[in-house]
Amino acid sequence: MLKNGVSPKSPRNLLFLFEVLSLFLLFIYQWESVNRYTYITGIGLIFIIYISNLILNRISKGDNYIFLIVTMLISIGVIMIYRIDSELGVKQLIWLSFGIFIFYLTYFTLRFIRGWQKWITLYIGVAYILFILTFILGTRKYGAINWIQIGSFSFQPAEITKILLIFILASYYSNTEKFKKYKNAKYYIMLIVYSFIGLLFLQKDLGTALIFYGIFVAIQFIYEEDRRLILYNLGLFAIGGIIGYGLFDHVKVRILTWIDPWSYIDNKGYQITQSLFAIAEGGFFGTGLGLGHPEFIPLAYTDFIFPAICEEMGLFAGIGIIMLFLILVYRGFKIALSQINPFFRILALGVSILFGVQSIIILGGVLKVLPLTGITLPFVSYGGSSVLSSFIVLGILQVASEDLPIDEDLKLEEENNEIRD
Amino acid sequence: MKSEIRRIILVLIVICLSFVGIIGYMSYFQVFEAESVKMNSYNKRLWINEENILRGSIADRKGRILAYSEKQDNQMKRFYKYGSLYSHIIGYSYREYGKAGLELIYNNQLLNINENSAIDELINIVAPNTIGNNLELTIDHGTQEKARALLSGKKGAIVAMNPKNGEIYAMVSLPDFNVTSLKDDWGTISEDANSPLLNRATQGLYPPGSSFKVITSAAILKNQALSNDYKCTGTTTINGYVFKDYQEGGHGNLNLSQALAQSCNTYFTTKSLELGGELLRNTAEDFMFNKSIPFDMPVKISSFPSGKLGDTDLAASAIGQGKVLATPLNMVMVASSIANNGEMVRPVLVKKILSSDGKVIKLNRSETISQAVDSLKANEIKEMMVGVIREGTGKKASIRNVQVAGKTGTAENASGKSHAWFIGFAPVSDPKIAISVVLEEEGSTGGTSAAPIARDLIIYGLNNINF
Amino acid sequence: MFNLLSILFKYVFIIIIYLFIFSIIRLIYLDIKSINPVSADDSAYLKLINRMDSLPYKIKEHYSIHGQLTLGRANDNNIYIKDPFVSKRHMKVTEDEGKYYLEDLNSANGTFLNEERIFDVVKLDSGDIIKVGNVEFLFVNRG
């Protein structure tokens, strides 16, 4: 069976075929308005994805599935975005190229600079600075103050802070021995994370707040020796939720429209019901690309891209996307389990949990399984900050999938750990 | 170290289960909920077809147009010719308020959208049609108008149908609403305590009262030992609960036929105890109680209590009180099956679906859905029902030259004012029309208020319907 | 025309997406099947550095060392590699009081430790890279 070697050729070719066919279809769809951009998008997409898969196989000895999975998600996303709005499709492609560049940049930076686990104070500091910047410079977009506009370029600082959160947690839990000398280190770390969540709450960015909470609880569940803290955490979540529901209107609205969107169909429940219409209309196989009406779904190119895909490509394509995320998360955990460097192991875990939690929150949201919060579907949704941060995160995972030397001082500490265990 | 791996795997399992849960919910949603979600009038996709396809017209059995569409300034406009007369049958189709009635149920046919197979779907997309199909109803416009006129000012429902092939000639439910001024009236209509939006004929569940005794009689006939006479003294006490007759002092000696004619409560309550709940329930179920009736519109299920019945419950059920509830449509089907040798036929409202060039696309044929009772017993009951009109409680439904069979009912209910019932058919020798009338909270007996309405409608129907 | 194509393609897309998922799952499955997971009590093991699917012969990703571990082309070795550059009995790793030693068994093409050919018994440290033929292993000692 393995005689000829199992090459990832087959999925790569399938990906290629998928892109060629769908772009061909889109060209016919916009036959009258085919222009330079159309060709750039088409050839650009195929080229960028094929080449970057090829390069990665050469330079990284780590996992070669995650990038492949991600490129499939990207392809579906770009095609859908392009179908909704060709201009955005081209822009998304530019973001993706930039994103892949950032991916490699992250990969090399992380690989060749040592000592990432020592700079916890730096991460915390940067995170707070980003929060402060958001409050000073932030503009309101879709009800949340979480965008910073610099010239024509706007980005969401929270996309960066969530990566910093993973670094903070990884540095803390891979150095617990070191932090033992501070008496209440575990409470301080909890306080810091909760201050982040509180700030996000004030920015009305509930989706990101949930992601932060999810990552924190999961990592804490795995590594915290003081098991009571986890209970505190769950308790705090419940109390926070109830207080939030009572104090903040935007929380209340989310819950009400989640329980019964049909009563608020012409105002607050509009988005979620339009999403449900699209999914229902798509059926199992979809209406066919270009034959549905994603223009009826608000924000169909970002947060609500999943119902748009379901409408035109069908429930099966939707399930396909979920399965791709499932495999991605699974791979991420697999990478974490075989990584011996504790810092990178926790990084890999954090990153995988991030992908998992973020996609579950938005998928559950548009399906009315969970209250709807406005966050992007990683790699599929349109959006510069989202694409870039997702690729940084993927770069981290790529590094973590390789064999990394254990730093001397760290190794000693780890040995101590094990003796104690 | 080991616990770390265990916990990592636990977190992985939780995330995987969430994904699987989402997939599961999506599939559930698609299979069970998508259809009804799609139909919501806020779904803009529903109205895209509407703008390009001329919605089909709806006509009565004689071809009189009841509803139609016209293209005006590049916009499709829907016209309803008879305001509130067909509010519960045809319903309405408005962007703002959605669709109801046949406009909702036959939406795809009226727009000529086939979604049955991939090939139909292909044809739709390759060569989209611009004209919808027309519906021809079994309704007779004249009878419908007459029925509404007879019921006007009251609350209740009338259903008239052909007992042999199930064609519905008239179906009126009051109060109703004017579909042409829905925009102005919506607020008052949707909040009216008398629920004008409710089609009482199919959705109203009423205690059938004595009209249910037709079914009890069928059950008694099944058990020969019960056919002996009985002396009625005016009251009977079952487990301390007193069942009274309308006739003070009782009816004296009675056989089944006389008991039905006089609607003797004590007779039926006493006999029911010998009959047993099982047999009575089975008979009721043969008459489509506790079963869903196939129809062009959704019909509430008439109910006969399940499980083992106590004596009082059983006695109350035998005279159509207690937990027995029936729709007017079901009761006209009860009368029809007696008229039709015990065969209960499926009620039909939409006779034909016609393409725009007049070709018949679908013809609704009659079919028997239940042998409610064998033909011998059906004819025995028929004779007894003739007695009800000739010398019993239903005298006011008698017509010169035409023999009518029927049964009255006066149903007690929580409101304190009784519902007045009449079910029946005519002519007995060759039944052409069966009728059920229910007057909600009328406060008088079925014989005095419901029977004359039925009588007038039968006369009109026999003279005017093209059978 | 477009409509027709679009309807045809929607089935094709779904088939491709699922084939893609299937092929990835298959690769991952093959991957897992050939790994004997690093159990927590494995104090020392060799880990394959080469990408497994780049090698045209059967090989596992981890080999734990219990007492002694031999490598060669013959089937009775703990690690047998059907590589023409590997001798029948090529090298062995032995454990002695918690320390691990690498020894070349007079192989034709030699055994390399961190890019240097070895001629004598050498003590192994965690993180050392052992190269035999085209195959590279990482030595990990967590003891």
Side-chain angles (χ1 to χ4, degrees), chain A residues 6 60 62 286 289 316 330, chain C residues 3 6 10 18 27 32 51 53:
Chain A
V6 183
S60 171
L289 207 59
F316 285 130
Y330 164 77
Chain C
N3 294 348
S6 174
K10 73 184 185 190
Y18 278 81
L27 285 178
I32 294 172
R51 198 191 299 288
D53 41 39

Side-chain angles (χ1 to χ4, degrees), chain B residues 82-89 141 144-145 148 171-172 176:
Chain B
Y82 299 99
S84 47
L85 186 56
Y86 292 98
S87 51
H88 295 120
I89 298 176
H141 176 63
Q144 176 80 5
E145 262 187 331
R148 187 170 186 273
M171 184 163 76
V172 173
D176 53 13

Side-chain angles (χ1 to χ4, degrees), chain A residues 53-69:
Chain A
N53 262 315
L54 220 59
I55 294 176
L56 189 66
N57 274 336
R58 293 276 147 93
I59 59 167
S60 171
K61 284 185 172 160
D63 190 291
N64 53 342
Y65 305 120
I66 48 172
F67 198 79
L68 208 55
I69 297 166

Side-chain angles (χ1 to χ4, degrees), chain B residues 29 48-49 74 91 95-96 107 110-111 117 122 126 131 164 166 204 215 232-233 235 378 419 430-431 451:
Chain B
F29 175 83
I48 287 174
N49 293 322
N74 261 336
R95 259 193 117 115
E96 297 86 345
N107 186 48
L110 285 165
L111 293 172
S117 68
L122 261 180
V126 176
I131 303 176
K164 290 174 192 163
I215 294 170
C232 168
T233 55
T235 57
H419 303 320
D430 176 23

